[in-house]
Coordinates of all heavy atoms in Angstrom, one line a residue:
M1 N 49.7 39.6 -11.0 CA 48.5 38.9 -11.3 C 48.1 39.0 -12.7 O 48.5 40.0 -13.4 CB 47.4 39.6 -10.4 CG 46.0 38.9 -10.5 SD 44.8 39.8 -9.5 CE 44.5 41.3 -10.5
R2 N 47.5 38.0 -13.3 CA 46.9 38.1 -14.6 C 45.5 37.6 -14.6 O 45.1 36.7 -13.8 CB 47.8 37.4 -15.6 CG 47.8 35.9 -15.4 CD 48.6 35.2 -16.5 NE 48.8 33.8 -16.1 CZ 49.8 33.0 -16.5 NH1 50.7 33.5 -17.4 NH2 49.9 31.8 -16.2
T3 N 44.7 38.2 -15.6 CA 43.3 37.7 -15.6 C 43.1 37.2 -17.1 O 43.5 37.9 -18.0 CB 42.4 38.9 -15.3 OG1 42.7 39.4 -14.0 CG2 40.9 38.5 -15.4
A4 N 42.4 36.1 -17.1 CA 41.9 35.6 -18.4 C 40.5 35.1 -18.2 O 40.1 34.4 -17.3 CB 42.8 34.4 -18.8
A5 N 39.6 35.6 -19.1 CA 38.2 35.4 -19.0 C 37.7 35.8 -17.6 O 38.0 36.9 -17.1 CB 37.9 33.9 -19.4
D6 N 37.1 34.8 -16.8 CA 36.6 35.2 -15.5 C 37.5 34.7 -14.4 O 37.0 34.5 -13.3 CB 35.2 34.7 -15.3 CG 35.0 33.2 -15.4 OD1 36.0 32.6 -15.7 OD2 33.9 32.7 -15.2
E7 N 38.8 34.4 -14.7 CA 39.7 33.9 -13.6 C 40.9 34.8 -13.6 O 41.5 35.1 -14.6 CB 40.2 32.5 -14.0 CG 39.3 31.4 -13.5 CD 40.1 30.0 -13.7 OE1 41.0 29.9 -14.6 OE2 39.7 29.1 -13.0
S8 N 41.3 35.1 -12.3 CA 42.6 35.8 -12.1 C 43.6 34.8 -11.4 O 43.1 34.0 -10.6 CB 42.4 37.0 -11.3 OG 41.7 38.0 -12.0
E9 N 44.8 35.0 -11.7 CA 45.9 34.2 -11.1 C 46.9 35.1 -10.4 O 47.4 36.0 -11.1 CB 46.6 33.3 -12.2 CG 47.7 32.4 -11.6 CD 48.4 31.6 -12.7 OE1 48.2 31.9 -13.9 OE2 49.1 30.6 -12.3
I10 N 47.1 34.9 -9.2 CA 48.2 35.6 -8.5 C 49.5 34.9 -8.9 O 49.7 33.7 -8.7 CB 48.1 35.5 -6.9 CG1 46.7 36.0 -6.5 CG2 49.2 36.2 -6.2 CD1 46.5 37.5 -6.5
L11 N 50.5 35.7 -9.4 CA 51.7 35.2 -10.0 C 52.9 35.3 -9.0 O 53.7 34.5 -8.9 CB 52.1 35.8 -11.3 CG 51.1 35.6 -12.4 CD1 51.4 36.5 -13.6 CD2 51.0 34.2 -12.8
N12 N 52.9 36.4 -8.2 CA 54.0 36.7 -7.4 C 53.6 37.6 -6.3 O 52.9 38.6 -6.6 CB 55.2 37.3 -8.2 CG 56.5 36.7 -7.8 OD1 56.7 36.1 -6.8 ND2 57.4 36.8 -8.7
L13 N 54.0 37.4 -5.1 CA 53.7 38.3 -4.0 C 54.8 38.1 -2.9 O 55.1 36.9 -2.5 CB 52.4 37.9 -3.3 CG 52.0 38.7 -2.1 CD1 51.9 40.2 -2.4 CD2 50.6 38.2 -1.6
A14 N 55.5 39.1 -2.6 CA 56.6 39.0 -1.6 C 56.8 40.3 -0.9 O 56.6 41.4 -1.5 CB 57.9 38.6 -2.3
V15 N 57.2 40.2 0.4 CA 57.4 41.3 1.2 C 58.8 41.2 1.8 O 59.2 40.0 2.1 CB 56.4 41.4 2.4 CG1 56.7 42.5 3.4 CG2 55.0 41.6 1.8
E16 N 59.6 42.2 1.8 CA 61.0 42.2 2.4 C 60.9 41.5 3.8 O 60.0 41.9 4.6 CB 61.6 43.5 2.5 CG 62.0 44.1 1.1 CD 62.8 45.4 1.3 OE1 63.6 45.4 2.1 OE2 62.5 46.3 0.5
P17 N 61.9 40.7 4.1 CA 61.8 39.9 5.4 C 61.7 40.8 6.6 O 60.9 40.5 7.5 CB 63.2 39.2 5.4 CG 63.5 39.0 4.0 CD 63.0 40.2 3.2
E18 N 62.4 42.0 6.6 CA 62.3 42.8 7.8 C 61.0 43.6 7.9 O 60.7 44.3 8.9 CB 63.5 43.8 7.9 CG 63.6 44.8 6.7 CD 64.4 44.2 5.5 OE1 64.5 43.0 5.4 OE2 64.8 45.0 4.7
R19 N 60.1 43.5 6.8 CA 58.8 44.2 6.9 C 57.6 43.3 7.0 O 56.5 43.7 6.9 CB 58.7 45.0 5.5 CG 59.8 46.0 5.2 CD 59.5 47.3 5.9 NE 60.5 48.2 5.5 CZ 60.8 49.4 6.1 NH1 60.1 49.8 7.1 NH2 61.7 50.2 5.6
R20 N 57.9 42.0 7.2 CA 56.9 41.0 7.3 C 56.1 41.1 8.6 O 56.5 41.7 9.6 CB 57.4 39.6 7.1 CG 57.8 39.4 5.7 CD 58.4 38.0 5.4 NE 59.0 38.0 4.1 CZ 59.8 37.1 3.6 NH1 60.2 36.1 4.3 NH2 60.3 37.2 2.4
R21 N 54.9 40.6 8.6 CA 54.0 40.5 9.7 C 53.5 41.9 10.1 O 53.3 42.2 11.3 CB 54.7 39.9 10.9 CG 54.0 38.6 11.5 CD 53.3 37.7 10.6 NE 52.2 37.0 11.3 CZ 52.3 35.9 12.0 NH1 53.4 35.3 12.1 NH2 51.2 35.4 12.6
Q22 N 53.4 42.8 9.2 CA 52.9 44.2 9.4 C 51.6 44.4 8.6 O 51.2 45.6 8.4 CB 53.9 45.2 9.1 CG 55.2 45.1 10.0 CD 56.3 46.1 9.6 OE1 56.0 47.2 9.0 NE2 57.5 45.7 9.8
G23 N 51.1 43.4 7.9 CA 49.9 43.6 7.2 C 50.1 44.0 5.7 O 49.1 44.4 5.0
I24 N 51.4 44.1 5.3 CA 51.7 44.6 3.9 C 51.1 43.7 2.8 O 50.4 44.1 1.9 CB 53.2 44.9 3.8 CG1 53.6 46.0 4.7 CG2 53.5 45.2 2.3 CD1 55.1 46.2 4.8
A25 N 51.4 42.4 3.0 CA 50.9 41.5 1.9 C 49.3 41.4 1.9 O 48.7 41.3 0.9 CB 51.4 40.1 2.2
S26 N 48.8 41.6 3.1 CA 47.3 41.6 3.2 C 46.7 42.8 2.4 O 45.7 42.7 1.7 CB 46.8 41.7 4.6 OG 47.2 40.5 5.3
A27 N 47.4 43.9 2.6 CA 46.9 45.1 1.9 C 47.2 45.0 0.3 O 46.3 45.4 -0.5 CB 47.7 46.4 2.4
L28 N 48.3 44.4 -0.1 CA 48.6 44.2 -1.5 C 47.6 43.2 -2.1 O 47.0 43.5 -3.2 CB 50.0 43.7 -1.7 CG 51.1 44.7 -1.4 CD1 52.5 43.9 -1.4 CD2 51.2 45.8 -2.5
L29 N 47.3 42.2 -1.3 CA 46.3 41.2 -1.9 C 44.9 41.8 -2.0 O 44.2 41.5 -2.9 CB 46.4 39.9 -0.9 CG 45.5 38.8 -1.4 CD1 45.9 38.3 -2.8 CD2 45.6 37.6 -0.4
A30 N 44.6 42.6 -1.0 CA 43.2 43.2 -1.0 C 43.1 44.1 -2.2 O 42.1 44.0 -2.9 CB 43.0 44.0 0.3
A31 N 44.2 44.8 -2.6 CA 44.1 45.7 -3.8 C 44.1 44.8 -5.0 O 43.4 45.2 -6.0 CB 45.4 46.6 -3.8
A32 N 44.7 43.7 -5.0 CA 44.7 42.8 -6.2 C 43.4 42.2 -6.4 O 42.9 42.1 -7.5 CB 45.8 41.7 -6.0
L33 N 42.7 41.9 -5.3 CA 41.3 41.3 -5.4 C 40.4 42.4 -5.9 O 39.5 42.1 -6.7 CB 40.9 40.7 -4.1 CG 41.7 39.6 -3.6 CD1 41.1 39.0 -2.3 CD2 41.9 38.5 -4.6
V34 N 40.5 43.6 -5.6 CA 39.7 44.7 -6.1 C 39.9 44.8 -7.6 O 39.0 44.9 -8.4 CB 40.0 46.0 -5.4 CG1 39.4 47.2 -6.1 CG2 39.5 46.0 -3.9
A35 N 41.2 44.8 -8.0 CA 41.5 44.9 -9.4 C 41.0 43.7 -10.2 O 40.5 43.8 -11.3 CB 43.0 45.0 -9.6
A36 N 41.0 42.5 -9.6 CA 40.5 41.3 -10.3 C 39.0 41.4 -10.5 O 38.5 41.1 -11.6 CB 40.8 40.0 -9.4
R37 N 38.3 41.8 -9.5 CA 36.8 42.0 -9.6 C 36.5 43.0 -10.7 O 35.7 42.8 -11.6 CB 36.2 42.5 -8.3 CG 35.9 41.5 -7.3 CD 35.1 42.1 -6.2 NE 35.2 41.2 -5.0 CZ 36.2 41.3 -4.1 NH1 37.0 42.3 -4.1 NH2 36.2 40.5 -3.1
A38 N 37.3 44.1 -10.7 CA 37.1 45.2 -11.7 C 37.4 44.7 -13.1 O 36.8 45.1 -14.1 CB 38.0 46.4 -11.4
A39 N 38.3 43.7 -13.2 CA 38.6 43.1 -14.5 C 37.6 42.0 -14.9 O 37.7 41.4 -16.0 CB 40.0 42.5 -14.5
G40 N 36.6 41.7 -14.1 CA 35.6 40.7 -14.4 C 35.8 39.3 -13.9 O 35.1 38.4 -14.2
A41 N 36.8 39.2 -13.0 CA 37.1 37.8 -12.5 C 36.0 37.4 -11.5 O 35.5 38.2 -10.7 CB 38.5 37.8 -11.8
K42 N 35.7 36.1 -11.6 CA 34.7 35.5 -10.6 C 35.4 34.7 -9.6 O 34.9 34.3 -8.6 CB 33.7 34.6 -11.4 CG 32.9 35.4 -12.4 CD 31.8 36.2 -11.8 CE 30.8 36.8 -12.8 NZ 31.4 37.9 -13.5
S43 N 36.7 34.4 -9.9 CA 37.5 33.6 -8.9 C 39.0 34.0 -9.1 O 39.4 34.4 -10.1 CB 37.3 32.1 -9.1 OG 37.7 31.7 -10.3
V44 N 39.7 33.7 -8.0 CA 41.2 33.9 -8.1 C 41.9 32.7 -7.6 O 41.4 32.0 -6.7 CB 41.5 35.1 -7.1 CG1 43.1 35.3 -7.1 CG2 40.9 36.4 -7.6
Y45 N 43.0 32.3 -8.3 CA 43.7 31.1 -7.8 C 45.2 31.4 -7.8 O 45.6 32.5 -8.4 CB 43.4 29.9 -8.6 CG 43.9 29.9 -10.1 CD1 45.1 29.2 -10.4 CD2 43.3 30.6 -11.1 CE1 45.6 29.2 -11.6 CE2 43.8 30.5 -12.4 CZ 44.9 29.9 -12.6 OH 45.4 29.9 -13.9
L46 N 46.0 30.6 -7.3 CA 47.4 30.7 -7.2 C 48.1 29.4 -7.0 O 47.4 28.5 -6.5 CB 47.8 31.7 -6.1 CG 47.4 31.4 -4.7 CD1 48.5 30.6 -4.0 CD2 46.9 32.6 -3.9
E47 N 49.4 29.3 -7.3 CA 50.2 28.1 -6.9 C 51.2 28.5 -5.9 O 51.7 29.6 -6.0 CB 50.9 27.5 -8.1 CG 50.0 26.9 -9.2 CD 49.5 27.9 -10.2 OE1 49.9 29.0 -10.2 OE2 48.6 27.5 -11.0
V48 N 51.4 27.6 -4.9 CA 52.4 27.9 -3.9 C 53.2 26.6 -3.6 O 52.6 25.5 -3.7 CB 51.8 28.5 -2.6 CG1 50.7 27.6 -2.1 CG2 52.8 28.8 -1.6
R49 N 54.5 26.7 -3.4 CA 55.3 25.5 -3.0 C 54.7 24.8 -1.8 O 54.3 25.4 -0.8 CB 56.7 25.9 -2.7 CG 57.6 26.1 -3.9 CD 59.1 26.3 -3.5 NE 59.9 26.6 -4.7 CZ 60.5 25.6 -5.4 NH1 60.4 24.4 -5.0 NH2 61.2 26.0 -6.5
E50 N 54.6 23.5 -1.9 CA 54.0 22.7 -0.9 C 54.7 22.8 0.5 O 54.0 22.7 1.5 CB 54.1 21.2 -1.3 CG 53.0 20.3 -0.9 CD 52.9 19.0 -1.6 OE1 54.0 18.4 -1.9 OE2 51.8 18.5 -1.9
S51 N 56.0 23.1 0.4 CA 56.7 23.3 1.7 C 56.6 24.7 2.3 O 57.1 25.0 3.4 CB 58.2 23.0 1.4 OG 58.8 24.0 0.6
N52 N 55.9 25.6 1.6 CA 55.9 27.0 2.0 C 54.7 27.3 2.9 O 53.7 27.9 2.6 CB 55.8 28.0 0.8 CG 56.1 29.4 1.1 OD1 56.1 29.8 2.3 ND2 56.2 30.3 0.1
A53 N 55.0 26.8 4.2 CA 53.9 26.8 5.2 C 53.5 28.2 5.5 O 52.3 28.5 5.8 CB 54.3 26.1 6.4
V54 N 54.4 29.2 5.5 CA 54.1 30.6 5.9 C 53.1 31.1 4.8 O 52.1 31.7 5.2 CB 55.4 31.4 5.9 CG1 55.1 32.9 5.9 CG2 56.1 31.0 7.2
A55 N 53.5 30.9 3.5 CA 52.6 31.5 2.5 C 51.2 30.8 2.5 O 50.2 31.5 2.3 CB 53.2 31.3 1.1
I56 N 51.2 29.5 2.7 CA 49.9 28.8 2.8 C 49.1 29.3 4.0 O 47.9 29.6 3.8 CB 50.1 27.3 2.9 CG1 50.7 26.8 1.5 CG2 48.8 26.5 3.2 CD1 51.2 25.3 1.5
A57 N 49.7 29.6 5.1 CA 49.0 30.2 6.3 C 48.5 31.6 5.9 O 47.4 31.9 6.2 CB 49.9 30.2 7.5
F58 N 49.4 32.3 5.2 CA 48.9 33.7 4.8 C 47.7 33.6 3.9 O 46.7 34.3 4.1 CB 50.1 34.4 4.1 CG 49.6 35.6 3.4 CD1 49.2 36.8 4.0 CD2 49.5 35.6 2.0 CE1 48.7 37.9 3.3 CE2 49.1 36.7 1.3 CZ 48.7 37.8 2.0
Y59 N 47.8 32.8 2.9 CA 46.7 32.7 1.9 C 45.4 32.2 2.6 O 44.3 32.6 2.3 CB 47.0 31.9 0.7 CG 48.0 32.6 -0.2 CD1 49.2 32.1 -0.6 CD2 47.7 33.9 -0.8 CE1 50.1 32.8 -1.4 CE2 48.5 34.6 -1.6 CZ 49.8 34.0 -1.9 OH 50.6 34.7 -2.7
R60 N 45.5 31.2 3.5 CA 44.3 30.7 4.2 C 43.7 31.9 5.0 O 42.5 32.0 5.1 CB 44.7 29.6 5.2 CG 44.8 28.3 4.6 CD 45.0 27.2 5.7 NE 45.1 25.9 5.2 CZ 44.1 25.1 4.9 NH1 42.9 25.5 4.9 NH2 44.4 23.8 4.4
S61 N 44.6 32.7 5.6 CA 44.1 33.8 6.5 C 43.4 34.9 5.6 O 42.6 35.7 6.1 CB 45.2 34.5 7.3 OG 45.9 35.4 6.5
S62 N 43.7 34.8 4.3 CA 43.1 35.8 3.3 C 41.9 35.2 2.6 O 41.5 35.8 1.6 CB 44.2 36.3 2.4 OG 45.2 36.8 3.1
G63 N 41.4 34.0 3.0 CA 40.2 33.5 2.4 C 40.4 32.5 1.3 O 39.5 32.0 0.7
F64 N 41.7 32.1 1.0 CA 42.0 31.0 0.0 C 41.9 29.7 0.7 O 42.3 29.5 1.9 CB 43.3 31.2 -0.6 CG 43.4 32.4 -1.6 CD1 43.6 33.7 -1.1 CD2 43.3 32.1 -2.9 CE1 43.6 34.7 -2.0 CE2 43.4 33.2 -3.9 CZ 43.5 34.5 -3.4
E65 N 41.5 28.7 -0.1 CA 41.4 27.3 0.3 C 42.2 26.4 -0.7 O 42.2 26.7 -1.9 CB 40.0 26.8 0.4 CG 39.2 27.4 1.5 CD 39.7 27.0 2.9 OE1 40.3 25.9 3.0 OE2 39.4 27.7 3.9
P66 N 42.9 25.4 -0.2 CA 43.5 24.5 -1.1 C 42.5 23.8 -2.0 O 41.5 23.2 -1.5 CB 44.3 23.5 -0.2 CG 44.3 24.1 1.1 CD 43.1 25.0 1.2
T67 N 42.7 23.8 -3.3 CA 41.7 23.1 -4.2 C 42.4 22.2 -5.2 O 41.7 21.6 -6.0 CB 41.0 24.2 -5.0 OG1 41.9 25.1 -5.6 CG2 40.0 25.0 -4.1
G68 N 43.7 22.0 -5.1 CA 44.3 21.1 -6.0 C 45.8 21.0 -5.7 O 46.4 21.7 -4.8
R69 N 46.5 20.2 -6.5 CA 47.9 20.0 -6.4 C 48.5 19.7 -7.8 O 47.9 18.9 -8.5 CB 48.2 18.8 -5.5 CG 49.6 18.4 -5.2 CD 49.7 17.3 -4.2 NE 51.1 17.0 -3.8 CZ 52.0 16.3 -4.4 NH1 51.6 15.6 -5.5 NH2 53.2 16.1 -4.0
R70 N 49.6 20.4 -8.1 CA 50.3 20.1 -9.4 C 51.7 19.5 -9.1 O 52.6 20.2 -8.5 CB 50.5 21.4 -10.1 CG 49.2 22.2 -10.4 CD 49.4 23.2 -11.5 NE 48.5 24.3 -11.5 CZ 47.2 24.3 -11.8 NH1 46.7 23.2 -12.2 NH2 46.5 25.4 -11.8
A71 N 51.8 18.2 -9.4 CA 53.1 17.5 -9.1 C 54.2 18.1 -10.0 O 54.0 18.5 -11.1 CB 52.9 16.0 -9.4
R72 N 55.4 18.2 -9.5 CA 56.6 18.6 -10.2 C 56.4 20.0 -10.9 O 56.9 20.3 -11.9 CB 57.0 17.6 -11.3 CG 57.4 16.3 -10.7 CD 57.8 15.3 -11.7 NE 56.7 15.0 -12.6 CZ 55.7 14.2 -12.4 NH1 55.6 13.5 -11.2 NH2 54.7 14.0 -13.2
Y73 N 55.6 20.9 -10.2 CA 55.3 22.2 -10.8 C 56.5 23.1 -10.8 O 56.8 23.9 -11.7 CB 54.2 22.9 -10.0 CG 53.7 24.2 -10.6 CD1 52.8 24.2 -11.7 CD2 54.1 25.4 -10.0 CE1 52.4 25.4 -12.2 CE2 53.7 26.6 -10.5 CZ 52.8 26.6 -11.6 OH 52.4 27.8 -12.1
Y74 N 57.4 23.0 -9.7 CA 58.5 23.9 -9.6 C 59.8 23.1 -9.9 O 59.9 21.9 -9.8 CB 58.6 24.4 -8.2 CG 57.5 25.3 -7.8 CD1 56.5 24.9 -6.9 CD2 57.4 26.6 -8.2 CE1 55.4 25.7 -6.6 CE2 56.4 27.5 -7.8 CZ 55.4 27.0 -7.0 OH 54.4 27.8 -6.7
Q75 N 60.9 23.9 -10.3 CA 62.2 23.3 -10.4 C 63.2 24.1 -9.5 O 62.8 25.2 -9.0 CB 62.7 23.5 -11.9 CG 61.8 22.8 -12.9 CD 62.2 23.1 -14.3 OE1 62.9 24.0 -14.6 NE2 61.6 22.3 -15.2
D76 N 64.3 23.6 -9.3 CA 65.4 24.2 -8.5 C 64.9 24.7 -7.2 O 65.0 26.0 -6.9 CB 66.0 25.3 -9.3 CG 66.6 24.9 -10.6 OD1 67.2 23.8 -10.6 OD2 66.6 25.5 -11.6
P77 N 64.6 24.0 -6.2 CA 64.5 22.5 -6.3 C 63.1 22.0 -6.8 O 62.1 22.8 -6.6 CB 64.7 22.1 -4.8 CG 64.1 23.2 -4.0 CD 64.4 24.5 -4.8
P78 N 63.1 20.8 -7.3 CA 61.8 20.4 -7.8 C 60.8 20.2 -6.7 O 61.2 19.7 -5.6 CB 62.1 19.0 -8.4 CG 63.5 18.7 -8.1 CD 64.2 19.9 -7.5
E79 N 59.6 20.6 -6.9 CA 58.6 20.4 -5.8 C 57.2 20.6 -6.4 O 57.0 21.2 -7.4 CB 58.8 21.5 -4.7 CG 57.9 21.4 -3.5 CD 58.3 22.4 -2.4 OE1 59.3 23.1 -2.5 OE2 57.5 22.5 -1.5
A80 N 56.2 20.0 -5.7 CA 54.8 20.1 -6.1 C 54.3 21.5 -5.7 O 54.8 22.1 -4.7 CB 54.0 19.0 -5.5
A81 N 53.2 21.9 -6.4 CA 52.5 23.1 -6.0 C 51.2 22.8 -5.4 O 50.5 21.8 -5.9 CB 52.3 24.0 -7.2
V82 N 50.8 23.5 -4.4 CA 49.4 23.5 -3.9 C 48.7 24.6 -4.6 O 49.2 25.7 -4.8 CB 49.3 23.7 -2.4 CG1 47.9 23.8 -1.9 CG2 50.1 22.7 -1.6
V83 N 47.5 24.2 -5.2 CA 46.7 25.2 -5.9 C 45.7 25.7 -4.8 O 45.0 24.9 -4.2 CB 45.9 24.7 -7.1 CG1 45.1 25.8 -7.8 CG2 46.9 24.1 -8.1
M84 N 45.6 27.0 -4.7 CA 44.6 27.6 -3.7 C 43.7 28.6 -4.5 O 44.2 29.3 -5.4 CB 45.3 28.3 -2.6 CG 46.3 27.4 -1.8 SD 47.1 28.2 -0.4 CE 45.8 28.2 0.8
S85 N 42.5 28.6 -4.0 CA 41.6 29.5 -4.8 C 40.5 30.1 -3.9 O 40.3 29.6 -2.8 CB 41.0 28.8 -6.0 OG 40.2 27.7 -5.5
Q86 N 39.9 31.1 -4.4 CA 38.7 31.7 -3.7 C 37.8 32.3 -4.7 O 38.2 32.8 -5.7 CB 39.1 32.7 -2.6 CG 39.4 34.1 -3.0 CD 39.5 35.0 -1.7 OE1 38.5 35.6 -1.3 NE2 40.7 35.2 -1.2
A87 N 36.5 32.2 -4.4 CA 35.5 32.8 -5.3 C 35.4 34.3 -4.9 O 35.6 34.7 -3.8 CB 34.1 32.2 -5.1
L88 N 35.1 35.1 -5.9 CA 34.9 36.6 -5.7 C 33.4 36.9 -5.8 O 32.7 36.4 -6.7 CB 35.7 37.4 -6.8 CG 37.2 37.3 -6.8 CD1 37.8 38.1 -7.9 CD2 37.8 37.7 -5.4
F89 N 33.0 37.7 -4.9 CA 31.5 38.1 -4.9 C 31.4 39.5 -5.1 O 32.3 40.3 -4.9 CB 30.9 37.7 -3.5 CG 30.9 36.2 -3.3 CD1 31.8 35.6 -2.5 CD2 30.0 35.3 -4.0 CE1 31.9 34.2 -2.3 CE2 30.0 34.0 -3.8 CZ 31.0 33.4 -3.0
Ligands
COA1 C1 53.8 35.2 2.5 C2 54.2 36.7 2.7 C3 54.0 37.5 1.3 C4 53.3 37.3 3.8 O1 53.6 38.7 3.9 P1 53.3 39.6 5.2 O2 53.3 41.1 4.8 O3 54.2 39.2 6.3 O4 51.8 39.1 5.6 P2 50.8 39.9 6.5 O5 51.5 40.7 7.6 O6 49.7 40.6 5.7 O7 50.0 38.6 7.3 C5 48.6 38.4 7.3 C6 48.4 37.1 8.0 O8 49.0 36.0 7.3 C7 49.3 35.0 8.3 N1 50.8 34.9 8.3 C8 51.7 35.7 7.8 N2 53.0 35.3 8.1 C9 52.8 34.2 8.8 C10 53.8 33.4 9.5 N3 55.1 33.6 9.4 N4 53.3 32.3 10.2 C11 52.0 32.1 10.3 N5 51.0 32.9 9.7 C12 51.5 33.9 9.0 C13 48.8 35.5 9.6 O9 47.5 35.0 9.8 C14 48.9 37.0 9.4 O10 48.0 37.7 10.3 P3 48.6 38.1 11.8 O11 49.9 38.8 11.6 O12 47.5 39.1 12.2 O13 48.6 36.9 12.6 C15 55.7 36.9 3.1 O14 55.9 36.0 4.2 C16 56.7 36.6 2.0 O15 57.1 37.6 1.3 N6 57.2 35.4 1.9 C17 58.2 35.0 0.9 C18 57.6 35.1 -0.5 C19 56.5 34.1 -0.6 O16 56.5 33.0 -0.1 N7 55.4 34.5 -1.3 C20 54.2 33.7 -1.6 C21 54.4 32.7 -2.6 S1 53.9 33.2 -4.2

């Protein structure tokens, strides 16, 4: 994650395949949101591959909503990104 002014961006989040669905990413994300608030962020956003339904479901379950789309954001293979964000209180 990185923070600039009052916005934080989640850059990377991954859990080993055999450890998934045990709440690990939820715990990591909760810690990141605490850190974002402490750094002064008022909102958090991230980009995720449009085809990554699992990650999109995960981020939705964690309070993020789709707020935009960036065409040709990824390479190898080329794909659009869904931008998801949530306000911090
Ligand atoms: C996305 C990812 C980080 C989730 O990690 P995780 O530790 O399995 O997630 P959690 O166990 O905390 O899941 C929390 C909730 O997210 C949702 N979720 C997670 N995996 C899901 C799946 N395969 N299908 C549907 N919903 C899912 C569920 O609502 C889940 O709650 P539940 O298990 O009580 O139903 C993991 O699948 C991963 O590493 N994927 C590959 C890397 C990636 O795509 N990263 C994100 C892009 S930056």
Side-chain angles (χ1 to χ4, degrees):
M1 188 181 71
R2 67 181 167 200
T3 302
D6 62 355
E7 271 191 337
S8 290
E9 179 182 15
I10 305 284
L11 298 171
N12 224 339
L13 177 60
V15 173
E16 287 189 42
E18 62 273 20
R19 304 275 186 195
R20 289 179 189 166
R21 235 39 210 272
Q22 297 173 30
I24 293 172
S26 299
L28 289 168
L29 183 59
L33 297 184
V34 168
R37 279 189 200 91
K42 301 282 188 286
S43 64
V44 178
Y45 72 98
L46 58 93
E47 290 88 9
V48 56
R49 280 186 181 270
E50 211 164 38
S51 64
N52 194 347
V54 166
I56 290 171
F58 164 73
Y59 286 122
R60 275 188 184 279
S61 82
S62 303
F64 286 82
E65 289 293 337
T67 51
R69 182 176 187 272
R70 304 199 206 283
R72 299 178 298 280
Y73 184 80
Y74 295 103
Q75 299 175 347
D76 300 323
E79 190 174 347
V82 176
V83 182
M84 302 184 77
S85 59
Q86 82 169 271
L88 296 179
F89 297 101

